Amino acid sequence: MFFTDVTAPIAYEGPDSTNPLAFRWYDADRVVGSKTMRDHLRMAVCYWHSFHWPGSDVFGAGTFDRPWLAPTDDPMAAARQKMDAAFEFFGKLGAPFYSFHDYDMAPEADSLAESQARLDELADEAGKKMEETGVQLLWGTANLFSHPRYAAGAATNPDPEVFAHAAAQVRNALEVTHRLGGANYVLWGGREGYETLLNTDLRREGQQLGRFLHLVAEHADRIGFTGTLLLEPKPQEPTKHQYDHDVATVHAFLQRHGLDDRYKVNIEGNHATLSGHDFAHEVAVAIDAGIFGSIDANQGDDRLGWDTDQFPRSVEMMSLVVYEILKGGGFDTGGFMFDTKLRRQSLDRTDLFHAHIGGMDTMARSLLVAQALIDDETLTGPVAERYAGWDGELGRGILDGTHDLASLHGLVTDQDLRPQAVSGRQEELERRVSRVIEQAR
Ligand code: XUL
Ligand code: CO
């Protein structure tokens, strides 16, 4: 046992509770709208930041109390300890899902064959623990960015041998994800991009990435993987220009390469804001394009221009994200995955509980707000009213081709049309949303 400060599963105690190790909003079995909170939110803990990262940064060593990460000459024994810690945590927290990269579950070895053997062995153990605890896999992925071979990209590397290595690694990770019943498989292209055009053939790199994604989709079909394939947009970091910049860029790329019916997106809050968008904007664009898949639930810092991966605490921001998702029909195979890091000074193992309980409460409260916005039609009425003209004779005639430029010119001049500007009522609508946030219970 690694989390001895937490002796029983975290319980729901209601909004007035002052117990720091209890949920105030996440009441898994409570029905909201048509589903339980558990089924709406499908929340997942990530293996890498929570169990594989020691609290190091570019300036300093690990700070966290994580005995399973201590230096060792038996990396497989350490990986088993890490897995024990992870599943003890998932169970006590009551998280229904988790996610992992190949090499945060199984330490990478000298050869791909040995790495694969290690991953197969540990994945079998994970499978047993999943059966025992009922925790499910939201998604698996391959780490195609840490090893020096990937410095110039994985699929977009100028060297096809690196492409081959990445392909082989994804084949293994995809098969393991499939064996563990993963609901999705994610590809995040942290090194798929470039630093300078002086050494880059942008066109070739795009073709390589398109080919890679076709190979992955073909293999998924061949092995009968029925989960969703997801690309995770991010504009930069670690690479200066990343090809999967934002949702709209990814959508255009998928269309250009004939992949838009095969891939959806995994949208991360902090990546959305790094690309200069509101988080809710990215979700709305994905839903509109029919490529909405899943969410990495985190948030950045208002003044830091990098990916701080903080636990979600803004109900104001998350309510608008959940609202877009509910309007779009909710998650299918996706969920809210905590791609989130503790601050480096949060040394204690129990800090992992405080952070996740806070994140889960933020998402649960945001769900209540979003459902209330839908039930009260807080925004649907004003939006419908704003566009009402498009349901009238003129609006319909423009869209269905009855009108052309000449007929519209005739209409404006003959009738001396002088359209009047009307208020967008933004501040009034913001106040309506605030009232729902204050009152949603
Ligand atoms: C990096 C990031 C990754 C992906 C999975 O910014 O978000 O953790 O989610 O590779
Ligand atoms: Co992420």
Side-chain angles (χ1 to χ4, degrees):
M1 295 254 277
F2 291 98
F3 297 97
T4 44
D5 286 356
V6 178
T7 48
I10 303 297
Y12 170 73
E13 292 186 3
D16 296 329
S17 172
T18 54
N19 175 3
L21 290 170
F23 292 117
R24 294 197 291 122
W25 297 95
Y26 181 60
D27 183 3
D29 293 319
R30 174 171 168 191
V31 175
V32 178
S34 57
K35 284 189 276 194
T36 61
M37 279 193 167
R38 184 192 291 105
D39 291 345
H40 268 296
L41 298 170
R42 297 168 58 83
M43 290 191 278
V45 176
C46 87
Y47 218 89
W48 51 104
H49 296 319
S50 293
F51 302 100
H52 184 61
W53 175 53
S56 52
D57 69 10
V58 282
F59 296 100
T63 51
F64 296 155
D65 172 25
R66 304 278 187 271
W68 58 87
L69 296 180
T72 174
D73 42 24
D74 188 350
M76 286 299 277
R80 272 185 220 102
Q81 275 202 335
K82 178 166 51 177
M83 187 175 287
D84 288 342
F87 277 88
E88 181 191 339
F89 182 82
F90 303 154
K92 286 182 171 174
L93 181 67
F97 292 95
Y98 76 107
S99 293
F100 70 97
H101 295 86
D102 47 2
Y103 297 151
D104 37 69
M105 180 175 281
E108 183 169 10
D110 270 354
S111 69
L112 186 84
E114 176 60 18
S115 299
Q116 180 183 347
R118 287 181 174 187
L119 180 60
D120 284 339
E121 187 180 328
L122 285 157
D124 285 347
E125 298 202 16
K128 285 187 208 129
K129 286 184 183 292
M130 288 166 66
E131 229 160 78
E132 281 160 27
T133 57
V135 176
Q136 292 171 275
L137 180 60
L138 189 67
W139 47 265
T141 187
N143 179 330
L144 304 179
F145 43 88
S146 292
H147 193 282
R149 79 174 74 83
Y150 295 128
T156 62
N157 200 288
D159 178 356
E161 287 190 8
V162 177
F163 182 109
H165 197 102
Q169 203 183 316
V170 169
R171 174 212 174 260
N172 293 344
L174 181 60
E175 293 197 2
V176 160
T177 300
H178 179 47
R179 279 214 303 281
L180 294 176
N184 308 272
Y185 183 85
V186 166
L187 293 114
W188 169 62
R191 306 262 180 212
E192 311 293 22
Y194 68 91
E195 299 293 332
T196 171
L197 281 176
L198 300 183
N199 63 13
T200 301
D201 186 335
L202 205 142
R203 186 175 171 76
R204 267 184 195 275
E205 294 200 0
Q207 287 167 342
Q208 290 169 214
L209 185 55
R211 182 74 189 120
F212 191 85
L213 297 180
H214 274 291
L215 293 177
V216 175
E218 282 163 22
H219 196 72
D221 290 342
R222 196 167 304 138
I223 63 175
F225 178 67
T226 53
T228 312
L229 300 175
L230 300 170
L231 295 180
E232 183 174 323
K234 186 175 184 181
Q236 75 265 337
E237 194 203 7
T239 309
K240 180 176 177 186
H241 297 276
Q242 269 159 225
Y243 294 129
D244 295 341
H245 189 95
D246 60 3
V247 171
T249 310
V250 167
H251 186 228
F253 181 89
L254 291 174
Q255 286 182 314
R256 181 176 181 185
H257 293 275
L259 289 158
D260 47 320
D261 58 344
R262 212 49 199 84
Y263 284 84
K264 292 185 159 53
V265 282
N266 181 41
I267 304 170
E268 177 163 324
N270 206 162
H271 298 180
T273 50
L274 283 175
S275 66
H277 299 300
D278 287 347
F279 192 177
H281 165 90
E282 289 290 82
V283 174
V285 170
I287 289 171
D288 175 53
I291 57 166
F292 176 71
S294 197
I295 295 278
D296 276 7
N298 67 14
Q299 63 183 73
D301 181 284
D302 287 346
R303 281 170 301 284
L304 300 179
W306 65 90
D307 195 12
T308 60
D309 284 331
Q310 283 162 253
F311 282 80
R313 60 191 184 285
S314 169
V315 172
E316 203 173 332
M317 177 171 78
M318 289 299 174
S319 296
L320 298 180
V321 168
V322 182
Y323 177 63
E324 293 302 325
I325 295 173
L326 291 188
K327 272 198 303 173
F331 285 121
D332 180 11
T333 59
F336 284 110
M337 209 288 297
F338 290 109
D339 192 353
T340 40
K341 289 152 92 164
L342 292 170
R343 296 307 88 194
R344 193 164 169 264
Q345 296 174 60
S346 304
L347 316 177
D348 299 341
R349 280 175 240 167
T350 313
D351 287 316
L352 273 176
F353 276 97
H354 295 303
H356 283 87
I357 293 168
M360 290 167 81
D361 267 347
T362 298
M363 299 320 301
R365 196 171 163 210
S366 300
L367 171 65
L368 294 176
V369 173
Q371 186 65 46
L373 288 171
I374 287 179
D375 293 344
D376 301 350
E377 302 187 358
T378 316
L379 301 168
T380 37
V383 172
E385 205 178 292
R386 192 156 181 249
Y387 291 89
W390 288 96
D391 296 325
E393 196 188 330
L394 175 60
R396 283 200 318 261
I398 292 172
L399 293 179
D400 70 13
T402 306
H403 278 295
D404 57 16
L405 279 194
S407 71
L408 290 170
H409 176 265
L411 188 91
V412 172
T413 49
D414 294 352
Q415 298 184 13
D416 191 20
L417 278 191
R418 296 174 192 231
Q420 298 299 307
V422 291
S423 174
R425 297 159 62 188
Q426 180 169 335
E427 295 77 6
E428 189 217 323
L429 298 176
E430 286 168 349
R431 294 256 300 147
R432 289 187 185 212
V433 172
S434 298
R435 191 172 47 79
V436 174
I437 292 175
E438 286 153 25
Q439 294 181 350
R441 282 280 183 280

